[in-house]
Amino acid sequence: MAFRRAPVVRCISSLVPPGSSTAALHADALCDFSTAGDVSPPMSLSTTFEGDGHIYSRISNPTRSRAEALLGAVEGTPEQTAHAVLYSSGLAACFAVLCRYLPGRVAITGGYHGTHLVLDQLRRISGGQCAVVPLPPPDGLASTLQPGDVVWLETPLNPSCDVMDIEAYVTAARTIGNVRVVVDGTFAPPPLQRPLGLGVDVVLHSTTKGLCGHSDAMGGALCVADADLAMQLRDDRTALGSTPGSLEVWLLLRSLRTLHLRVARQSSTAAELSSWLEEASRTNLAGLIHAVHHSSLPSHPGHEVAKRQMTGFGGCFALELTTEAAARSLPGALKLFRDATSLGGVESLIEWRRKYDSAVSPLLLRVSVGLEEPAHLRADLEQAILAVSRS
Ligand SMILES: *Cc1c(COP(=O)(O)O)cnc(C)c1O
């Protein structure tokens, strides 16, 4: 299995440092994948291969190895090599990391509801592993966890945008020993945060969201610092069959080219809209807005940690209106925001989150900001909030 170890993009040239937008454009080309001189990568559809490189597409194929090399170069930095392993969905990646560690306990509170479905399945299959314990503050870890357990940090958290102090949890986990820290970084793709550089064992992304970024390809990824763990995860994937299709990984390659631009723009627009909404809740929209949640806001409880831990605050925010009726009606009153779940795409989306997650306040709307002009999004939000509050 020559390609269990996907090529690692080393810092070949100081002009292409891992983690940079230049790496997102050139790192994979430096890996010698292509023979034809094509500028856009070819998409390999073959399921089987002659010769002594790739063997069978469930194990590896050229497009997937190339996408893994590129995502590794995007998640990593000059100081921190990253190895990426791709899956058919974010939840397949979630299942893969929990299967590999099969922890006795998982310390987790809230977050993406699908992660809890995976934990339910693992408890059913394993006859009791993966017991859920509420995530304590970092200084409470030692009294809650034992060796072999997992700390699951989703940060920023879906949909409240709470921020967890990754470094503090890593330090606390190390004092217990053999407690792994997994960060679900779907709400903050690179370059917004670099959890591997803070010492976490695994970073999970639903590539369906910001990494693919165009609402057209399902996928998941695990990024790890340990090359042996990456190989182990690829062997597990060969056995479990949770491989992504070639079109999806090709779309990921295509999308990573613009990741830095998209993420920076979505992040700054989300911060701008959150700040305007918070201000408007005291002025022209007073009485109509109950709360705005985005870690860019100095009023947000995670603001200080986010400032230290992230280079931007992410493209999602949450908005609470003052009545459930207004919250339910808002998506239908907007013209530029599509009323659909998911996030991280180029089109702005909004959803009444209670529809998918019964644990969430009925006043809350989750907003994923796209690439439209911030002023247009703001005007649309303003007209819609006034319209639903009048009716
Ligand atoms: C969407 C999402 C997932 C699951 O990813 P899929 O690609 O839908 O399987 C996991 N975590 C978070 C935070 C998500 O938003």
Side-chain angles (χ1 to χ4, degrees), residues 3 25 73 82 96 100 172 192 216 220 240 257 293 297 316:
F3 282 85
L25 289 157
R100 166 84 338 241
L192 293 181
D216 57 8
L240 293 170
R257 308 298 188 205
H293 308 279
L297 299 169
C316 285

Side-chain angles (χ1 to χ4, degrees), residues 4 80 126 138 220 268 285 309 351 356 376:
R4 286 196 319 161
Q80 178 63 67
S126 68
S268 71
L285 301 177
Q309 174 167 292
E351 60 175 350
Y356 304 97
H376 298 161

Side-chain angles (χ1 to χ4, degrees), residues 71-152:
L71 181 56
V74 166
E75 181 75 46
T77 61
E79 295 76 38
Q80 178 63 67
T81 302
H83 306 269
V85 185
L86 296 176
Y87 296 90
S88 53
S89 71
L91 287 194
C94 180
F95 184 74
V97 61
L98 289 167
C99 259
R100 166 84 338 241
Y101 289 142
L102 211 59
R105 280 169 221 78
V106 179
I108 181 171
T109 295
Y112 189 65
H113 61 99
T115 306
H116 296 271
L117 297 179
V118 173
L119 288 164
D120 291 346
Q121 291 292 325
L122 275 159
R123 267 196 306 282
R124 183 177 62 77
I125 299 166
S126 68
Q129 299 297 105
C130 295
V132 166
V133 297
L135 180 73
D139 60 9
L141 269 196
S143 57
T144 319
L145 298 189
Q146 291 169 17
D149 291 344
V150 158
V151 177
W152 192 278

Side-chain angles (χ1 to χ4, degrees), residues 238-368:
T238 296
L240 293 170
S242 46
T243 48
S246 290
L247 176 61
E248 282 75 11
V249 294
W250 188 89
L251 286 168
L252 174 63
L253 268 171
R254 188 280 318 265
S255 301
L256 288 175
R257 308 298 188 205
T258 55
L259 178 71
H260 290 70
L261 279 177
R262 288 186 286 106
V263 162
R265 169 66 176 251
Q266 287 166 323
S267 221
S268 71
T269 304
E272 189 177 326
L273 292 176
S274 305
S275 157
W276 164 70
L277 282 164
E278 196 179 61
E279 175 65 27
S281 73
R282 292 188 291 263
T283 54
N284 60 322
L285 301 177
L288 309 181
I289 296 173
H290 175 63
V292 187
H293 308 279
H294 192 243
S295 65
S296 63
L297 299 169
S299 60
H300 189 279
H303 180 65
E304 290 307 320
V305 178
K307 262 199 332 205
R308 168 156 49 80
Q309 174 167 292
M310 301 171 71
T311 59
F313 302 97
C316 285
F317 68 88
L319 168 66
E320 291 186 62
L321 297 185
T322 38
T323 69
E324 176 175 339
R328 279 175 178 270
S329 315
L330 190 69
L334 286 158
K335 310 252 179 318
L336 297 177
F337 294 80
R338 310 291 297 270
D339 179 6
T341 194
S342 200
L343 59 110
V346 291
E347 310 84 3
S348 291
L349 301 176
I350 188 164
E351 60 175 350
W352 184 62
R353 188 65 190 157
R354 180 72 163 230
K355 194 150 98 185
Y356 304 97
D357 190 343
S358 59
V360 168
S361 160
L363 303 177
L364 186 139
L365 295 135
R366 189 181 76 186
V367 181
S368 167

